[in-house]
Amino acid sequence: MLNFHRSGLRSTLSAILIMLMLPACGGNSFVQPTPRPPTFTPTPRSTPLPTVATQVPLGSESRPYHVAFVAPDQNASGSELARYLSDQTSVAFEVDLLSSYAEVLRQLCSDKPTFGWLDGRALLAAQAQGCGVPVLKFQQGKSSGQKADLIVHTGIKDEVKTIAGFKGKDYCRLNGQDVQSWILPSLAMRAGGINPVQDLKGIKEFDNNAALMQAVADNICVSAAIPAGTLLTYSPKLSSGQLAVLTTTPELPFGGVIVSSTVPKTIADNVITLFTQNMDRLQGLIKVDELVKVNANDFTDFQKLAQSAGLNLKTLGQ
């Protein structure tokens, strides 16, 4: 009985040990999963990049620098000047003879690298529109523009001391297109609070500056405008009082040269020097006594007058 019991106990323990070993050898073992096949992705086709156009350099034959004029001589040609500038600078130039300053202004404000020769109004408009930098101004005699003296009769009972005193009175001028007797004083009146169309009693016209001054001396007009400095050389007939300058307008320039912002400074400086030192090359293309380099504040006073008068300089030269 005892031997059987021991033998049975041994068999039972062996069976238990086998059962305990089975989970350790099989149930908890790691099985490497079978990898999934890779997803098929087609290889993208190469797309050619768009062709980038090569920038044509400034000063080449196909992209020359331009010099634009309104020539006083209808028979003038710009070919000699173009050759001269090209020879001196080693870059290509083209001279454009246009029919109006408005056309010169439009070209200056385009993408063409241009030296624009403009009258005073177009020059101020180009500067206001940001189409370039003024570099030269025209000079006739000793003057580079037009200024006007507004004169009044002083030392009398109804003496006028300000432009505001023009209201309800007659004004004298040469004509409605004259710069010094009407255009400049009209701006001065507007800047001084007088609307020359609505606030004046009337406008009387005379043939010359001497007649204008005498009309003010005779109290026919409250005021008239004459070229600045003229009163110094005239002695009107006066029964009392005297004529005096009430105010002098800023200068409206005769004109000048504006260089578009696309022109490199080195080219601009070189060409400006050629223009100023060789004015004989411009014969038939301009009609000025001298070319003077522009200072930074040359047109500031007129710009302030225009602003005070409500004049939009961008619209000049159209």
Side-chain angles (χ1 to χ4, degrees):
M1 289 293 291
L2 180 61
N3 290 336
F4 175 79
H5 177 72
R6 290 178 177 173
S7 175
L9 180 60
R10 255 189 235 105
S11 297
T12 299
L13 290 174
S14 298
I16 291 172
L17 287 173
I18 291 171
M19 290 177 65
L20 291 174
M21 291 175 64
L22 282 175
C25 296
N28 290 334
S29 63
F30 176 74
V31 179
Q32 179 71 32
T34 303
R36 296 176 62 185
T39 303
F40 174 72
T41 303
T43 302
R45 294 182 178 182
S46 61
T47 304
L49 294 173
T51 303
V52 178
T54 303
Q55 181 69 38
V56 178
L58 286 174
S60 62
E61 291 294 334
S62 57
R63 198 183 179 195
Y65 294 105
H66 292 259
V67 186
F69 294 93
V70 177
D73 183 354
Q74 294 183 350
N75 298 318
S77 171
S79 57
E80 290 187 11
L81 177 63
R83 282 195 298 271
Y84 171 72
L85 293 175
S86 297
D87 290 343
Q88 294 296 314
T89 60
S90 299
V91 292
F93 274 85
E94 186 174 309
V95 173
D96 306 309
L97 302 183
L98 306 177
S99 60
S100 69
Y101 291 112
E103 288 186 50
V104 177
L105 178 59
R106 281 194 292 273
Q107 177 165 315
L108 188 67
C109 295
S110 72
D111 60 353
K112 288 184 177 180
T114 300
F115 294 78
W117 294 69
L118 302 165
D119 68 358
R121 301 182 199 193
L123 182 148
L124 291 166
Q127 190 177 16
Q129 292 179 35
C131 295
V133 179
V135 292
L136 296 174
K137 59 183 179 180
F138 303 156
Q139 188 158 313
Q140 303 282 17
K142 296 181 179 180
S143 177
S144 58
Q146 296 173 289
K147 294 189 291 185
D149 288 336
L150 275 73
I151 59 171
V152 293
H153 194 170
T154 62
I156 58 175
K157 181 180 178 181
D158 296 324
E159 176 181 342
V160 172
K161 296 183 178 180
T162 66
I163 286 178
F166 292 5
K167 189 171 184 177
K169 297 181 173 63
D170 288 325
Y171 178 85
C172 291
R173 70 184 185 188
L174 296 180
N175 58 67
Q177 290 75 46
D178 188 73
V179 171
Q180 288 164 304
S181 73
W182 182 242
I183 294 175
L184 287 173
S186 291
L187 293 175
M189 281 187 257
R190 290 183 182 277
I194 291 291
N195 184 327
V197 177
Q198 299 175 353
D199 296 336
L200 295 175
K201 179 181 178 182
I203 297 172
K204 300 180 183 297
E205 295 189 346
F206 292 83
D207 293 334
N208 52 61
N209 290 316
L212 285 179
M213 289 183 279
Q214 191 59 55
V216 177
D218 294 338
N219 299 318
I220 295 172
C221 327
V222 65
S223 179
I226 55 179
T230 303
L231 191 59
L232 297 174
T233 61
Y234 181 76
S235 300
K237 298 177 182 178
L238 291 159
S239 58
S240 62
Q242 61 183 357
L243 297 187
V245 176
L246 179 65
T247 187
T248 300
T249 70
E251 181 180 272
L252 174 65
F254 290 131
V257 180
I258 282 196
V259 181
S260 60
S261 56
T262 52
V263 177
K265 187 176 185 304
T266 52
I267 295 292
D269 290 344
N270 194 359
V271 172
I272 291 164
T273 300
L274 292 173
F275 284 152
T276 55
Q277 295 182 359
N278 302 274
M279 287 188 60
D280 57 308
R281 300 283 181 172
L282 302 168
Q283 188 172 1
L285 299 172
I286 62 170
K287 195 174 182 180
V288 300
D289 294 339
E290 191 176 352
L291 296 172
V292 180
K293 288 189 177 181
V294 169
N295 293 318
N297 298 320
D298 277 351
F299 310 122
T300 301
D301 289 343
F302 189 89
Q303 290 165 339
K304 289 179 179 178
L305 173 66
Q307 183 177 13
S308 298
L311 174 64
N312 184 358
L313 290 176
K314 293 182 179 180
T315 63
L316 292 179
Q318 302 300 314

